[in-house]
Amino acid sequence: FLLVFLVVYIFLQDLRSTLIPAIAVPVSIVGTFFFLNLLGYSINLLTLFALVLAIGIVVDDAIVVVEAVHAKLERGAESTKIAAEEAMSEITTSLISITLVMGAIFIPVSFISGPTGVFYQQFGLTMVISIFISAVNALTLSPMLCALLLKVHNNEEHNKKGFLGRFFEKFNIAFEAVTV
């Protein structure tokens, strides 16, 4: 969990932006525990393994939202609310598609029969539940947090970059030169 957010912070270089996935992941994981309890599953090695794997998937949806809102803010959106609304109008279908594809991967695992099927069923359902809760978070909680926590970029303040900012700027220039 901490490693994921350290990597997110390194690449986003903004504590406010890092807080949004940091809030979305525990909400998804706690929601998954709730639904597992409703289904009568216990917390065992299989469900914990699925939850560890799900952290990487769950954080992805929130990062997609944060990046889309950041792109709108960098292009001159007037407010964070407008940026979040515009970003969500563009990426909602993508988030739903990501969720359906990931669900299509793990739902069939839940239908394996036999003694091993019991284990795979817990694993598959844990993954599917966490993925669907993550999608609901990405469509509701993450845009709201973006509108509340992020701020409109001030050009002077935005141009002050640390070591990583300068590194990534040079990396992007080099990458664009190679791809052209």
Side-chain angles (χ1 to χ4, degrees):
F1 183 76
L2 294 175
L3 180 63
V4 167
F5 295 109
L6 178 65
V7 170
V8 170
Y9 179 72
I10 288 172
F11 283 97
L12 293 178
Q13 299 176 21
D14 182 22
L15 186 61
R16 291 174 180 252
S17 298
T18 307
L19 282 176
I20 296 165
I23 293 170
V25 170
V27 169
S28 296
I29 300 301
V30 169
T32 303
F33 283 136
F34 173 76
F35 283 105
L36 288 176
N37 188 29
L38 285 180
L39 293 172
Y41 291 130
S42 64
I43 298 173
N44 54 33
L45 286 177
L46 288 170
T47 55
L48 289 177
F49 172 64
L51 288 172
V52 168
L53 182 62
I55 288 174
I57 295 170
V58 165
V59 77
D60 184 48
D61 289 340
I63 291 172
V64 167
V65 173
V66 171
E67 284 294 322
V69 174
H70 263 286
K72 292 294 178 186
L73 289 172
E74 287 178 1
R75 291 187 188 119
E78 297 169 4
S79 71
T80 54
K81 182 181 177 206
I82 292 171
E85 288 173 356
E86 290 177 1
M88 290 310 294
S89 69
E90 292 178 4
I91 65 169
T92 298
T93 54
S94 299
L95 289 171
I96 293 170
S97 299
I98 291 169
T99 303
L100 293 176
V101 167
M102 294 301 286
I105 293 169
F106 291 106
I107 288 174
V109 171
S110 303
F111 293 112
I112 296 175
S113 61
T116 53
V118 173
F119 298 115
Y120 285 119
Q121 184 180 25
Q122 288 182 10
F123 176 80
L125 287 177
T126 302
M127 289 299 295
V128 168
I129 290 168
S130 65
I131 289 167
F132 281 112
I133 292 174
S134 171
V136 171
N137 278 342
L139 295 171
T140 57
L141 179 66
S142 294
M144 185 270 308
L145 288 174
C146 285
L148 291 175
L149 295 178
L150 298 182
K151 57 184 178 178
V152 178
H153 295 296
N154 179 359
N155 286 338
E156 293 175 9
E157 185 179 309
H158 186 62
N159 288 334
K160 292 180 184 176
K161 298 178 180 171
F163 170 75
L164 287 174
R166 291 188 302 271
F167 170 77
F168 285 123
E169 184 177 329
K170 290 178 183 177
F171 180 79
N172 285 333
I173 291 170
F175 182 74
E176 288 173 2
V178 171
T179 57
V180 173

